[in-house]
Amino acid sequence: MKKTQASSKAHLFVCCNEKAEGPCCHPLGATELFTELKTRAKAQYPDSIKVTRSRCLGICEEGIAAVLYSPKKAGQYFLNAKTSDQEELWNELTALL
């Protein structure tokens, strides 16, 4: 096994899970939120900010869930996120640069 440091300064995982039954993030706009943030990160900070689609983060009852990892913040969760929260999430990411 080889250990290495992450190349990005901020990495946001957005749950885009879709379940046949029960609450999940996908129908609440998770894919749109993910796509908007991913597009922005690739355009403005391709080497510093990563945005990744994730499967279930295990907190489906809380609405769209995302978790942020960086050398400065280890596992900060954002719950009940909405597509309208894109700017606030973006500010959280860029504050870590």
Side-chain angles (χ1 to χ4, degrees), residues 12-17 19 21-28 30 54-69 75-81:
L12 183 71
F13 293 85
V14 180
C15 177
C16 295
N17 197 41
K19 296 180 187 175
E21 294 181 19
C24 62
C25 296
H26 177 75
L28 301 174
S54 81
R55 301 294 291 166
C56 187
L57 295 172
I59 39 183
C60 306
E61 299 78 24
E62 299 291 335
I64 298 173
V67 62
L68 174 61
Y69 290 97
Q76 179 176 2
Y77 280 81
F78 299 93
L79 305 176
N80 200 27

Side-chain angles (χ1 to χ4, degrees), residues 11-65:
H11 196 158
L12 183 71
F13 293 85
V14 180
C15 177
C16 295
N17 197 41
E18 187 170 8
K19 296 180 187 175
E21 294 181 19
C24 62
C25 296
H26 177 75
L28 301 174
T31 300
E32 292 82 5
L33 180 61
F34 159 76
T35 302
E36 291 169 9
L37 291 168
K38 173 96 174 174
T39 300
R40 199 166 175 183
K42 286 179 96 172
Q44 295 181 30
Y45 300 102
D47 297 325
S48 300
I49 295 177
K50 303 292 181 204
V51 179
T52 302
R53 176 190 324 253
S54 81
R55 301 294 291 166
C56 187
L57 295 172
I59 39 183
C60 306
E61 299 78 24
E62 299 291 335
I64 298 173

